[in-house]
Every structure is written in C-alpha cells, then in structure tokens.
Amino acid sequence: MADRTVLVTGGAGYIGSHACKALKAAGYVPVTFDNLSTGWRDAVRFGPFEQGDLADPSRLAEVFARWQPAAVMHFAAISLVGEAMRDPGTYWRVNVTGALNLIEAALASGCRDFVFSSTCATYGDRDGVVLDEDAVQTPLNAYGKSKMAIEQMLGDFAASHGLNSVIFRYFNVAGADAEGEVGEFHRPETHLIPLMLDAIAGKRPALTVFGTDYPTRDGTCVRDYVHVTDLVDAHVAGLHWLESGRGNRVFCLGTGTGFTVREVIAQSRNVTNREVPVVWGDRRPGDAVSLVCGSERARRELGWKPARSTLATMIADAWRWHQTGHYET
Ligand code: UDP
C-alpha cells in the first residue's frame, strides 16, 4: 500500500482537478482516474493520469494493482439535473454501477478509505431551512437519487467489509484556483456563474434565468455557493480524519447563507463592472426552490474554515479564470 497515494476519480474535472492540487500541496500523490467524458487532459497537472472508465472493472483492477492507493476520492459522476430528468436510466447506470465497481475494486486491493462527493440534491426541497447532516433526504431527481444510493452503498460496505468513508454533501461549487492553474471549464456549460460570465463577456447573447415565480424573496431560486478551494480543503481534512480515527461520517459543506439568482447577477455586475444581459425564462424542471446547507459539523470535527467563500471572491476568482484560463484538450 502506497501510503501517500490517493486515487482521484474525476481528477480531470472541475472539482477533482482542484482536489489534486490540494492533495499534492498536502504531500500526497494524486492519481487521476478519468474517462475524459467531461474532464480535460490539460487539467491533470498535479500527479499521474490513468485514463479509464468506472464501467470497466478490469481497468480499475489494473489501476489499483499498479498504484496501490491508500485512499480513494470519488468525484467522477454525471451531475446535471436537467439531463437527469430527461434520461434517468443513464444516471442510475453511470453513477451507481460506477461507484459499485470502484468500491469493489478498492476493497479487492485492500484499500478501505473512501472520500465521496455527494450532494445536497439528495435532500430535495427545503425552503427556508438550513440543511444539516440529519435532515431527511427526499431527492427530487435521478441525479440526487443516484448519489443517495451511493451513500447507502457505502454504509452497507462499511458494515460488511469495514470500509471507512467520509461523505461530503455540497451543492453549488464556484470560483477557481486563485493561482489560475485550474478552473471551471465545462463543454457544454450549464452552471449559473460561468454562463453569466460568458454573457458578460459577450460569448453568449444572454443569461436565461430559470423561473421568476418561486416562493423566495425575489422569485428566483436560492442556492448556497461554496468556493472550490475551500471545498477541496475539506476533502483533504476528511482524508486526515480517516487516517487518524477511521469510521463513517457525513459532513455538509456550505456557508449557511443562500443567494438568489438575482443576487448573484447583482454581485457579478459589481465585481466585473459590466452589465449582465438577462432573459427572464421559465422554471427548469427538477430545480429545488432553495438549498442552503450548514457546516457546523465540518467546522467542529474537521477544523474546516472556509476562507474564500464570499460571493464576491468566488465571482472574482471565476472571472479571472474566465478571462485567462481554459483547456485545449
Ligand atoms: N440557473 C439559471 N440559469 C442558468 C443556469 C442556472 O437561472 O442558465 C439557476 C438554476 O435554476 C439554479 C441556480 O441558477 O437556481 C444554480 O444552477 P446551476 O445549474 O448552476 O446549479 P445547480 O443548482 O443546478 O446544481
């Protein structure tokens, strides 16, 4: 077992690439496992790369045998609510069987520490409530349901095989590495802040706001935005937690403060000093009205201290990356 080696699935993606940077800085060797379906080869900058698909158990076995990782950080997943509403089968198949193959490959190689990227989308709608780890989970779409199934799967393998896991539930991750080495780059882009920055920069005609008649303070959906750098710091702290004590624990990662889409637009105008071209559109099926999650447990038990998760800093970091950074391959 290579003590400092961590297999990072989805390491070529937005959050996974930032996690690799944080792991390297903390003295680990992050080995990226990614099928490049949505990730970028160029984003793998902090450790070795193994191209492969979670649907392929023999490829997974080969990678575990080669690197003997001490732990797994599992980010690889498909994660779009709209797509999950249209094509639930793909969400169940890719996310759930992918995780199952990964857990079985890890256990077969003797690796028992697992950090899992889950989501507040496992909660469904909870308007006005700050969600925590004990809130009841009633996901609204196949994306949230597939993540919830994986959480339960980890519990089963904890009981049967002594698998240790840290599960992080988070939702709206924003911003980019302050040093500009990696950032958010989805093709196609579906997320609010990068789409808004595209509209500001004239790369698309306008941002369409999905719904203005929600029961919120200004009619648009409320989300809790967390800076990607803070988020991945929590993942490294989660790994340390597994190394020191072992066990199974869920942590919510949010700021406890939600912002409406209109508030995010207003803040983007302030940060960039430019107008945001907006089209006021219909609701997007599957969207929760409001998702805000607290992080008391992560602060208390992991010593997590988000440092960059103000809306202004997240948008400023995303804007800097938007203007200078991108991937070619
Ligand atoms: N949103 C929007 N227009 C867009 C993309 C997103 O109004 O083009 C809204 C969406 O309805 C949600 C919030 O922005 O309330 C965040 O959406 P995003 O897709 O970024 O993340 P999600 O919350 O779906 O994970």
Side-chain angles (χ1 to χ4, degrees):
M1 185 88 33
D3 274 358
R4 308 298 283 177
T5 301
V6 179
L7 188 73
V8 182
T9 73
Y14 171 41
I15 303 172
S17 60
H18 288 77
C20 288
K21 177 164 179 164
L23 283 166
K24 185 179 182 198
Y28 292 92
V29 177
V31 177
T32 289
F33 184 87
D34 201 298
N35 66 3
L36 299 183
S37 61
T38 55
W40 303 91
R41 179 66 186 85
D42 262 6
V44 183
R45 299 184 171 177
F46 311 101
F49 176 55
E50 292 281 3
Q51 187 161 352
D53 200 301
L54 294 172
D56 181 353
S58 60
R59 178 72 183 122
L60 275 168
E62 205 173 87
V63 169
F64 273 95
R66 176 163 186 207
W67 295 100
Q68 299 283 307
V72 172
M73 271 193 196
H74 180 36
F75 295 99
I78 45 176
S79 61
L80 302 177
V81 168
E83 194 179 73
M85 296 298 286
R86 287 190 299 276
D87 183 13
T90 299
Y91 273 69
W92 283 102
R93 189 161 39 250
V94 172
N95 289 352
V96 179
T97 51
L100 178 58
N101 290 341
L102 178 65
I103 292 169
E104 290 188 326
L107 289 172
S109 83
C111 171
R112 286 200 170 70
D113 286 357
F114 213 93
V115 179
F116 175 54
S117 159
S118 189
T119 168
C120 293
T122 59
Y123 289 121
D125 251 333
R126 290 289 192 295
D127 195 18
V129 176
V130 176
L131 298 161
D132 67 13
E133 294 78 5
D134 300 321
V136 176
Q137 292 170 288
T138 51
L140 296 182
N141 52 63
Y143 165 58
K145 289 177 192 174
S146 69
K147 290 280 185 169
M148 185 172 158
I150 298 165
E151 290 191 7
Q152 293 173 344
M153 200 191 290
L154 288 167
D156 285 348
F157 281 97
S160 64
H161 290 73
L163 184 74
N164 302 299
S165 65
V166 164
I167 293 170
F168 287 114
R169 292 185 193 139
Y170 45 84
F171 209 81
N172 293 78
V173 185
D177 171 36
E179 287 157 7
E181 287 190 276
V182 280
E184 184 168 17
F185 196 67
H186 295 114
R187 287 291 176 271
E189 187 54 75
T190 64
H191 293 109
L192 177 64
I193 292 175
L195 284 175
M196 187 172 323
L197 298 179
D198 272 355
I200 289 173
K203 290 185 188 166
R204 63 182 67 235
L207 171 78
T208 301
V209 173
F210 295 143
T212 52
D213 59 349
Y214 282 103
T216 61
R217 52 186 173 268
D218 64 19
T220 61
C221 288
V222 171
R223 294 288 182 273
D224 186 340
Y225 295 85
V226 181
H227 197 294
V228 64
T229 302
D230 288 335
L231 189 89
V232 298
D233 283 349
H235 285 66
V236 175
L239 193 56
H240 291 153
W241 185 90
L242 284 173
E243 287 165 356
S244 62
R246 315 285 164 178
N248 299 274
R249 200 82 171 129
V250 176
F251 297 97
C252 288
L253 298 177
T255 62
T257 304
F259 294 98
T260 67
V261 176
R262 284 186 207 267
E263 288 163 351
V264 177
I265 292 172
Q267 189 60 258
S268 299
R269 197 180 297 123
N270 286 345
V271 167
T272 63
N273 228 352
R274 302 209 202 164
E275 271 314 306
V276 185
V278 170
V279 170
W280 305 100
D282 294 334
R283 292 183 179 196
R284 179 172 65 176
D287 263 345
V289 177
S290 171
L291 283 165
V292 179
C293 85
S295 55
E296 275 317 302
R297 182 186 286 180
R299 288 168 198 263
R300 202 174 50 243
E301 296 182 20
L302 301 178
W304 186 54
K305 289 194 196 80
R308 301 188 71 80
S309 293
T310 63
L311 200 50
T313 302
M314 287 185 277
I315 294 170
D317 286 352
W319 182 230
R320 194 176 325 105
W321 163 258
H322 188 276
Q323 290 171 299
T324 56
H326 62 280
Y327 304 123
E328 302 290 344
T329 59

